[in-house]
Amino acid sequence: MGVFLENDHPQSVEVSGLLEKAIDQGLSNGDYEVAAICLDVFLSSGNNKISAMEVRMFRKGIRVKKCYIHYYKKKGEYFFEDIDV
């Protein structure tokens, strides 16, 4: 699934909104039972910002569930940690 926009540099909120709308429509039509979107985000931790993935999960008739996974690179390798927000 994807979205097409005339703008070559759209705002991420516009893209994610269109993806969520398409997912809702696909769930309503029965095209799929579950879906997810993964976004690269920054979260505040005190005075620091940390890199994280925001995973938005969808099911028909269920509110969007979000979870966050902190990631970082060390010596050329990526590491992932669950975080509570």
Side-chain angles (χ1 to χ4, degrees):
M1 165 187 316
V3 296
F4 175 78
L5 300 168
E6 295 293 330
N7 181 356
D8 289 339
H9 304 286
Q11 296 292 314
S12 59
V13 71
E14 181 182 11
V15 174
S16 63
L18 289 170
L19 286 171
E20 286 187 17
K21 186 176 178 180
I23 286 172
D24 286 340
Q25 184 176 3
L27 290 168
S28 293
N29 293 343
D31 295 335
Y32 19 85
E33 295 180 25
V34 295
I37 297 173
C38 184
L39 306 167
D40 191 15
V41 298
F42 288 109
L43 299 175
S44 295
S45 177
N47 291 334
N48 299 320
K49 286 186 178 180
I50 60 172
S51 297
M53 290 184 292
E54 177 184 284
V55 182
R56 298 179 187 175
M57 294 161 275
F58 304 82
R59 250 180 56 196
K60 185 177 178 179
I62 304 293
R63 254 184 54 209
V64 174
K65 177 171 176 48
K66 294 180 186 180
C67 68
Y68 295 88
I69 303 165
H70 169 55
Y71 70 90
Y72 59 96
K73 188 175 182 180
K74 185 175 180 181
K75 296 182 182 177
E77 188 175 348
Y78 282 94
F79 295 87
F80 302 90
E81 300 172 346
D82 291 336
I83 53 175
D84 294 323
V85 176

XYZ file of all heavy atoms in Angstrom:
680
model
N 0.846 -1.161 0.000
C 0.000 0.000 0.000
C 0.892 1.224 0.000
O 1.982 1.218 0.562
C -0.882 -0.035 1.247
C -1.540 1.264 1.540
S -2.415 1.311 3.099
C -3.257 -0.217 3.110
N 0.420 2.249 -0.614
C 1.154 3.496 -0.643
C 0.216 4.640 -0.968
O -0.972 4.429 -1.201
N 0.755 5.820 -0.959
C -0.030 6.999 -1.319
C 0.740 7.778 -2.362
O 1.963 7.744 -2.403
C -0.337 7.895 -0.097
C -1.203 7.161 0.898
C 0.917 8.398 0.567
N 0.012 8.462 -3.232
C 0.642 9.315 -4.230
C 0.242 10.747 -3.943
O -0.933 11.060 -3.793
C 0.200 8.936 -5.655
C 0.736 9.877 -6.683
C 2.055 9.785 -7.099
C -0.058 10.877 -7.216
C 2.563 10.667 -8.041
C 0.438 11.769 -8.152
C 1.755 11.658 -8.564
N 1.239 11.612 -3.858
C 0.999 13.034 -3.638
C 1.744 13.822 -4.706
O 2.825 13.421 -5.143
C 1.505 13.450 -2.249
C 0.848 12.715 -1.077
C 1.608 12.973 0.201
C -0.588 13.159 -0.940
N 1.183 14.914 -5.118
C 1.834 15.772 -6.112
C 3.119 16.379 -5.555
O 4.077 16.596 -6.282
C 0.879 16.887 -6.550
C -0.353 16.394 -7.283
C -0.049 15.788 -8.643
O 0.933 16.202 -9.298
O -0.802 14.892 -9.063
N 3.137 16.658 -4.273
C 4.282 17.271 -3.613
C 5.395 16.235 -3.437
O 5.158 15.159 -2.890
C 3.829 17.823 -2.253
C 4.940 18.503 -1.489
O 6.084 18.528 -1.910
N 4.593 19.053 -0.348
N 6.604 16.536 -3.868
C 7.724 15.609 -3.714
C 8.246 15.534 -2.292
O 8.977 14.619 -1.946
C 8.883 16.017 -4.640
C 8.580 15.754 -6.099
O 7.690 14.918 -6.389
O 9.226 16.381 -6.960
N 7.885 16.507 -1.461
C 8.357 16.549 -0.073
C 7.187 16.829 0.867
O 7.145 17.871 1.522
C 9.448 17.620 0.090
C 10.605 17.426 -0.837
N 11.541 16.437 -0.646
C 10.952 18.069 -1.976
C 12.429 16.492 -1.630
N 12.090 17.468 -2.451
N 6.242 15.869 0.971
C 5.069 16.110 1.823
C 5.425 16.028 3.308
O 6.439 15.417 3.683
C 4.125 14.973 1.436
C 5.039 13.875 1.013
C 6.202 14.561 0.335
N 4.596 16.638 4.126
C 4.756 16.537 5.570
C 4.418 15.107 5.991
O 3.498 14.486 5.447
C 3.822 17.515 6.273
C 4.127 18.967 5.988
C 5.450 19.381 6.611
O 5.729 19.074 7.754
N 6.271 20.072 5.845
N 5.149 14.577 6.962
C 4.927 13.195 7.391
C 3.518 12.993 7.942
O 2.923 11.933 7.753
C 5.972 12.777 8.427
O 5.921 13.620 9.556
N 2.960 14.014 8.583
C 1.610 13.886 9.132
C 0.591 13.717 8.007
O -0.405 12.988 8.161
C 1.280 15.074 10.071
C 1.093 16.357 9.285
C 0.064 14.783 10.903
N 0.832 14.340 6.861
C -0.062 14.185 5.712
C 0.011 12.754 5.172
O -1.019 12.132 4.896
C 0.311 15.187 4.621
C -0.565 15.130 3.398
C -0.151 16.098 2.297
O 0.941 16.704 2.367
O -0.940 16.249 1.354
N 1.222 12.238 5.038
C 1.407 10.870 4.512
C 0.803 9.846 5.461
O 0.041 8.966 5.043
C 2.909 10.579 4.274
C 3.105 9.124 3.865
C 3.478 11.516 3.221
N 1.105 9.959 6.756
C 0.573 8.976 7.709
C -0.954 9.066 7.787
O -1.634 8.040 7.917
C 1.209 9.140 9.087
O 0.921 10.384 9.651
N -1.507 10.265 7.681
C -2.958 10.416 7.690
C -3.614 9.721 6.511
O -4.647 9.051 6.666
N -3.016 9.863 5.332
C -3.554 9.200 4.139
C -3.411 7.681 4.233
O -4.310 6.930 3.821
C -2.873 9.728 2.885
C -3.242 11.157 2.492
C -2.338 11.667 1.377
C -4.706 11.245 2.074
N -2.292 7.219 4.784
C -2.110 5.774 4.967
C -3.144 5.222 5.945
O -3.726 4.166 5.717
C -0.698 5.461 5.448
C 0.403 5.588 4.407
C 1.775 5.460 5.064
C 0.243 4.530 3.321
N -3.379 5.948 7.046
C -4.375 5.500 8.025
C -5.770 5.452 7.398
O -6.530 4.510 7.642
C -4.373 6.406 9.252
C -3.179 6.181 10.138
C -3.258 6.958 11.442
O -4.351 7.422 11.812
O -2.207 7.093 12.086
N -6.088 6.438 6.587
C -7.394 6.459 5.911
C -7.527 5.252 4.979
O -8.564 4.590 4.955
C -7.539 7.760 5.123
C -8.887 7.964 4.495
C -8.976 9.325 3.819
C -10.318 9.512 3.136
N -10.417 10.809 2.479
N -6.463 4.951 4.225
C -6.489 3.801 3.313
C -6.600 2.488 4.093
O -7.315 1.570 3.677
C -5.227 3.799 2.442
N -5.917 2.410 5.225
C -6.004 1.208 6.062
C -7.421 1.035 6.595
O -7.986 -0.057 6.550
C -4.974 1.263 7.211
C -3.574 1.009 6.654
C -5.311 0.259 8.310
C -2.462 1.238 7.651
N -8.004 2.114 7.125
C -9.379 2.043 7.634
C -10.338 1.562 6.558
O -11.209 0.713 6.808
C -9.827 3.406 8.166
C -9.188 3.764 9.496
O -8.708 2.849 10.204
O -9.173 4.966 9.830
N -10.175 2.090 5.343
C -11.046 1.690 4.235
C -10.831 0.214 3.898
O -11.782 -0.533 3.690
C -10.785 2.557 3.011
C -11.713 2.277 1.862
C -11.488 3.220 0.689
O -10.592 4.053 0.715
N -12.305 3.094 -0.334
N -9.574 -0.221 3.852
C -9.275 -1.623 3.551
C -9.797 -2.575 4.613
O -10.284 -3.665 4.299
N -9.726 -2.157 5.874
C -10.270 -2.979 6.958
C -11.787 -3.063 6.841
O -12.373 -4.141 6.987
C -9.876 -2.398 8.320
C -8.400 -2.523 8.698
C -8.084 -1.657 9.908
C -8.025 -3.971 8.962
N -12.435 -1.944 6.560
C -13.896 -1.913 6.405
C -14.356 -2.767 5.231
O -15.398 -3.431 5.297
C -14.386 -0.477 6.207
O -14.177 0.279 7.364
N -13.583 -2.751 4.141
C -13.919 -3.530 2.943
C -13.592 -5.014 3.098
O -13.940 -5.811 2.236
C -13.169 -3.003 1.722
C -13.609 -1.618 1.319
O -14.663 -1.147 1.714
N -12.774 -0.950 0.537
N -12.871 -5.376 4.155
C -12.477 -6.767 4.348
C -11.259 -7.165 3.543
O -10.973 -8.353 3.387
N -10.530 -6.176 3.021
C -9.317 -6.486 2.254
C -8.237 -7.113 3.132
O -7.428 -7.897 2.660
C -8.767 -5.216 1.598
C -9.712 -4.642 0.558
O -10.519 -5.414 -0.006
O -9.654 -3.421 0.326
N -8.201 -6.735 4.403
C -7.276 -7.324 5.369
C -7.884 -7.262 6.758
O -8.836 -6.525 7.012
C -5.899 -6.659 5.377
C -5.822 -5.286 4.757
C -6.131 -4.141 5.497
C -5.445 -5.134 3.429
C -6.065 -2.887 4.926
C -5.381 -3.872 2.862
C -5.684 -2.756 3.615
O -5.625 -1.514 3.052
N -7.344 -8.091 7.652
C -7.864 -8.179 9.010
C -7.094 -7.283 9.977
O -7.664 -6.752 10.918
C -7.821 -9.620 9.498
C -8.752 -10.529 8.702
C -8.704 -11.955 9.183
O -8.372 -12.195 10.359
O -9.008 -12.841 8.373
N -5.805 -7.156 9.758
C -4.964 -6.295 10.598
C -3.987 -5.564 9.691
O -3.696 -6.003 8.574
C -4.176 -7.092 11.676
C -5.109 -7.736 12.673
C -3.261 -8.120 11.040
N -3.474 -4.445 10.183
C -2.489 -3.677 9.424
C -1.625 -2.897 10.409
O -1.993 -2.726 11.577
C -3.179 -2.724 8.454
N -0.477 -2.420 9.944
C 0.415 -1.631 10.800
C 1.182 -0.626 9.950
O 1.431 -0.852 8.764
C 1.386 -2.535 11.539
N 1.530 0.471 10.591
C 2.398 1.491 10.006
C 3.564 1.670 10.975
O 3.372 1.727 12.182
C 1.680 2.842 9.853
C 0.498 2.748 8.894
C 2.659 3.917 9.366
C -0.333 4.025 8.838
N 4.757 1.777 10.438
C 5.939 2.012 11.266
C 6.550 3.352 10.860
O 6.797 3.590 9.677
C 6.943 0.886 11.067
S 8.383 1.015 12.138
N 6.754 4.226 11.847
C 7.299 5.561 11.601
C 8.595 5.752 12.375
O 8.734 5.266 13.500
C 6.303 6.632 12.057
C 4.891 6.552 11.497
C 3.963 7.452 12.278
C 4.902 6.941 10.046
N 9.529 6.471 11.794
C 10.763 6.850 12.475
C 10.488 8.149 13.226
O 10.087 9.138 12.613
C 11.875 7.043 11.441
C 13.251 7.190 12.050
O 13.421 6.870 13.232
O 14.153 7.630 11.326
N 10.641 8.140 14.560
C 10.307 9.308 15.371
C 11.431 9.618 16.360
O 12.324 8.803 16.583
C 8.985 9.096 16.159
C 7.813 8.892 15.217
C 9.098 7.946 17.143
N 11.366 10.801 16.945
C 12.221 11.172 18.067
C 11.333 11.314 19.289
O 10.259 11.910 19.224
C 12.942 12.503 17.818
C 14.037 12.424 16.807
C 13.883 13.004 15.564
C 15.215 11.768 17.096
C 14.890 12.939 14.615
C 16.233 11.686 16.158
C 16.074 12.277 14.920
N 11.769 10.761 20.419
C 11.055 10.886 21.676
C 11.918 11.666 22.652
O 13.146 11.529 22.645
C 10.738 9.514 22.264
C 9.853 8.602 21.414
C 9.719 7.241 22.068
C 8.488 9.224 21.217
N 11.288 12.462 23.500
C 12.030 13.214 24.507
C 12.253 12.341 25.733
O 11.352 11.653 26.200
C 11.250 14.462 24.922
O 11.145 15.338 23.833
N 13.477 12.382 26.220
C 13.841 11.679 27.452
C 14.660 12.660 28.276
O 15.865 12.804 28.057
C 14.647 10.422 27.122
O 15.067 9.778 28.299
N 13.995 13.370 29.180
C 14.676 14.439 29.906
C 15.033 15.544 28.936
O 14.193 16.038 28.201
N 16.314 15.908 28.886
C 16.791 16.931 27.944
C 17.273 16.329 26.630
O 17.755 17.045 25.765
C 17.928 17.746 28.576
C 17.421 18.622 29.708
O 16.251 18.988 29.731
N 18.297 18.938 30.639
N 17.148 15.013 26.494
C 17.655 14.319 25.309
C 16.524 13.874 24.392
O 15.403 13.678 24.832
C 18.461 13.087 25.719
C 19.648 13.439 26.568
O 20.331 14.428 26.326
N 19.904 12.641 27.593
N 16.858 13.716 23.132
C 15.944 13.112 22.174
C 16.513 11.746 21.822
O 17.715 11.610 21.592
C 15.824 13.960 20.910
C 15.028 15.214 21.090
C 14.834 15.916 19.764
C 13.989 17.153 19.934
N 13.798 17.854 18.665
N 15.638 10.748 21.772
C 16.094 9.412 21.388
C 15.368 8.976 20.117
O 14.210 9.318 19.899
C 15.891 8.376 22.514
C 14.411 8.242 22.897
C 16.722 8.720 23.725
C 14.131 7.101 23.849
N 16.073 8.230 19.289
C 15.498 7.687 18.059
C 14.619 6.492 18.418
O 14.989 5.666 19.251
C 16.592 7.221 17.110
O 17.383 8.304 16.715
N 13.462 6.420 17.782
C 12.560 5.303 18.039
C 11.714 5.025 16.810
O 11.584 5.865 15.931
C 11.655 5.607 19.231
N 11.160 3.821 16.777
C 10.162 3.461 15.785
C 8.821 3.476 16.485
O 8.690 2.918 17.582
C 10.427 2.066 15.218
C 11.662 2.001 14.344
S 11.879 0.372 13.592
C 12.266 -0.612 15.017
N 7.855 4.150 15.886
C 6.486 4.121 16.392
C 5.725 3.151 15.511
O 5.672 3.331 14.293
C 5.859 5.505 16.315
C 4.403 5.520 16.765
C 3.776 6.889 16.599
O 4.070 7.774 17.413
O 3.004 7.052 15.620
N 5.164 2.127 16.115
C 4.381 1.143 15.373
C 2.913 1.359 15.714
O 2.528 1.303 16.884
C 4.809 -0.303 15.719
C 4.009 -1.308 14.886
C 6.301 -0.494 15.498
N 2.112 1.662 14.697
C 0.669 1.850 14.861
C -0.029 0.620 14.299
O 0.136 0.292 13.120
C 0.190 3.092 14.120
C 0.802 4.368 14.613
C 0.276 5.537 13.805
N 0.998 6.759 14.159
C 0.815 7.922 13.548
N -0.041 8.016 12.554
N 1.512 8.972 13.917
N -0.794 -0.058 15.148
C -1.474 -1.285 14.740
C -2.973 -1.041 14.647
O -3.544 -0.358 15.494
C -1.160 -2.402 15.721
C 0.321 -2.787 15.673
S 0.862 -3.668 17.132
C 1.233 -2.299 18.225
N -3.596 -1.606 13.627
C -5.006 -1.377 13.332
C -5.751 -2.703 13.208
O -5.209 -3.667 12.666
C -5.176 -0.650 11.993
C -4.433 0.654 11.899
C -3.082 0.690 11.573
C -5.088 1.847 12.142
C -2.402 1.890 11.484
C -4.412 3.055 12.050
C -3.070 3.072 11.727
N -6.981 -2.716 13.712
C -7.934 -3.801 13.500
C -9.298 -3.176 13.338
O -9.578 -2.147 13.941
C -7.966 -4.739 14.715
C -7.382 -6.074 14.432
C -7.402 -7.005 15.599
N -8.753 -7.190 16.139
C -8.993 -7.710 17.323
N -7.990 -8.062 18.098
N -10.220 -7.864 17.743
N -10.147 -3.777 12.543
C -11.473 -3.215 12.303
C -12.209 -3.038 13.631
O -12.309 -3.963 14.425
C -12.274 -4.126 11.383
C -13.622 -3.562 10.996
C -14.338 -4.476 10.028
C -15.705 -3.905 9.691
N -16.412 -4.767 8.745
N -12.700 -1.810 13.855
C -13.478 -1.526 15.045
C -12.672 -1.337 16.323
O -13.231 -1.118 17.382
N -11.359 -1.413 16.237
C -10.503 -1.269 17.417
C -9.689 0.011 17.270
O -9.166 0.300 16.188
C -9.532 -2.473 17.556
C -10.296 -3.793 17.591
C -8.633 -2.317 18.761
C -11.153 -4.001 18.803
N -9.581 0.777 18.366
C -8.760 1.982 18.335
C -7.315 1.634 18.001
O -6.837 0.547 18.314
C -8.785 2.646 19.723
C -9.641 3.879 19.723
C -9.626 4.608 21.028
N -8.290 4.944 21.479
C -7.963 5.058 22.744
N -8.821 4.868 23.693
N -6.734 5.368 23.079
N -6.621 2.558 17.419
C -5.222 2.353 17.050
C -4.400 2.090 18.309
O -4.526 2.804 19.302
C -4.661 3.596 16.324
C -3.175 3.435 16.067
C -5.406 3.846 15.038
N -3.588 1.063 18.262
C -2.656 0.779 19.356
C -1.276 1.210 18.888
O -0.886 0.937 17.765
C -2.663 -0.698 19.699
C -1.663 -1.064 20.784
C -1.835 -2.479 21.245
C -0.810 -2.896 22.248
N -0.555 -2.036 23.352
N -0.556 1.904 19.754
C 0.797 2.367 19.418
C 1.802 1.770 20.390
O 1.517 1.634 21.578
C 0.896 3.885 19.513
C 0.078 4.639 18.505
C 0.265 6.126 18.688
C -0.660 6.917 17.773
N -0.483 8.357 17.945
N 2.964 1.409 19.871
C 4.072 1.022 20.737
C 5.342 1.652 20.158
O 5.390 2.048 18.994
C 4.195 -0.485 20.869
S 4.694 -1.338 19.374
N 6.347 1.774 20.998
C 7.587 2.423 20.598
C 8.765 1.496 20.868
O 8.799 0.808 21.889
C 7.775 3.735 21.377
C 6.712 4.743 21.047
C 5.511 4.774 21.754
C 6.883 5.646 20.005
C 4.518 5.686 21.440
C 5.892 6.552 19.681
C 4.717 6.570 20.405
O 3.741 7.461 20.084
N 9.700 1.499 19.940
C 10.911 0.690 20.064
C 12.106 1.616 19.856
O 12.262 2.212 18.781
C 10.933 -0.444 19.013
C 9.676 -1.310 19.159
C 12.206 -1.264 19.137
C 9.421 -2.221 17.985
N 12.907 1.761 20.897
C 14.123 2.583 20.815
C 15.162 1.823 19.993
O 15.299 0.610 20.114
C 14.653 2.850 22.224
C 16.014 3.457 22.267
N 16.324 4.625 21.601
C 17.146 3.070 22.893
C 17.602 4.926 21.827
N 18.108 3.995 22.603
N 15.867 2.539 19.131
C 16.952 1.905 18.384
C 18.179 2.798 18.398
O 18.096 4.017 18.529
C 16.528 1.557 16.943
C 16.340 2.749 16.037
C 17.416 3.243 15.293
C 15.111 3.372 15.914
C 17.246 4.331 14.459
C 14.935 4.458 15.082
C 16.010 4.936 14.363
O 15.851 6.022 13.534
N 19.331 2.157 18.322
C 20.588 2.899 18.261
C 21.626 2.037 17.545
O 21.464 0.824 17.423
C 21.076 3.303 19.661
C 21.318 2.150 20.595
C 22.586 1.611 20.750
C 20.266 1.594 21.328
C 22.813 0.549 21.609
C 20.484 0.544 22.193
C 21.760 0.026 22.333
O 21.984 -1.025 23.183
N 22.642 2.701 17.066
C 23.711 2.030 16.330
C 24.989 2.098 17.159
O 25.347 3.153 17.684
C 23.922 2.717 14.984
C 24.861 2.001 14.054
C 24.878 2.719 12.707
C 25.766 2.023 11.713
N 25.772 2.732 10.421
N 25.647 0.959 17.296
C 26.890 0.882 18.061
C 27.850 -0.042 17.310
O 27.499 -1.185 17.016
C 26.609 0.332 19.459
C 27.792 0.318 20.377
C 27.350 -0.131 21.765
C 28.526 -0.146 22.706
N 28.118 -0.592 24.051
N 29.009 0.501 16.970
C 30.032 -0.259 16.230
C 29.466 -0.893 14.965
O 29.707 -2.045 14.657
C 30.666 -1.316 17.129
C 31.432 -0.730 18.282
C 32.093 -1.797 19.112
C 32.816 -1.161 20.291
N 33.411 -2.161 21.154
N 28.649 -0.110 14.242
C 28.111 -0.559 12.962
C 26.930 -1.512 13.051
O 26.440 -1.985 12.035
N 26.450 -1.795 14.254
C 25.339 -2.723 14.426
C 24.171 -2.000 15.103
O 24.370 -1.189 15.996
C 25.778 -3.901 15.297
C 24.769 -5.002 15.390
C 25.303 -6.213 16.169
O 26.498 -6.282 16.439
O 24.479 -7.077 16.495
N 22.946 -2.303 14.670
C 21.759 -1.690 15.257
C 21.234 -2.545 16.399
O 21.219 -3.779 16.321
C 20.652 -1.504 14.212
C 20.906 -0.322 13.314
C 21.548 -0.491 12.086
C 20.518 0.947 13.694
C 21.785 0.599 11.259
C 20.749 2.052 12.878
C 21.386 1.851 11.664
O 21.618 2.929 10.847
N 20.771 -1.863 17.445
C 20.195 -2.518 18.610
C 18.806 -1.942 18.847
O 18.560 -0.768 18.582
C 21.070 -2.287 19.853
C 22.423 -2.914 19.743
C 23.470 -2.210 19.148
C 22.652 -4.201 20.189
C 24.731 -2.794 19.035
C 23.894 -4.797 20.070
C 24.946 -4.086 19.494
N 17.903 -2.783 19.367
C 16.514 -2.395 19.580
C 16.112 -2.704 21.013
O 16.461 -3.753 21.541
C 15.595 -3.156 18.612
C 15.934 -2.923 17.180
C 16.836 -3.743 16.517
C 15.369 -1.875 16.478
C 17.159 -3.535 15.185
C 15.689 -1.638 15.148
C 16.593 -2.458 14.496
N 15.361 -1.758 21.633
C 14.891 -1.939 23.001
C 13.453 -1.442 23.100
O 13.133 -0.357 22.609
C 15.742 -1.133 23.984
C 17.206 -1.507 24.004
C 18.046 -0.560 24.860
O 17.554 0.533 25.232
O 19.190 -0.911 25.138
N 12.595 -2.212 23.764
C 11.231 -1.746 24.040
C 11.305 -0.603 25.031
O 12.152 -0.599 25.925
C 10.385 -2.864 24.632
C 10.088 -3.969 23.617
O 10.123 -3.688 22.414
O 9.807 -5.094 24.052
N 10.423 0.370 24.881
C 10.351 1.462 25.844
C 8.901 1.735 26.186
O 8.004 1.501 25.391
C 11.032 2.753 25.325
C 10.479 3.152 23.958
C 12.517 2.626 25.262
C 11.019 4.464 23.438
N 8.675 2.211 27.400
C 7.339 2.623 27.832
C 7.210 4.116 27.650
O 8.095 4.866 28.018
C 7.115 2.269 29.298
C 7.087 0.773 29.524
O 6.550 0.057 28.649
O 7.595 0.304 30.557
N 6.099 4.517 27.066
C 5.854 5.951 26.858
C 4.598 6.344 27.584
O 3.637 5.670 27.614
C 5.755 6.276 25.351
C 5.411 7.721 25.136
C 7.021 5.907 24.653
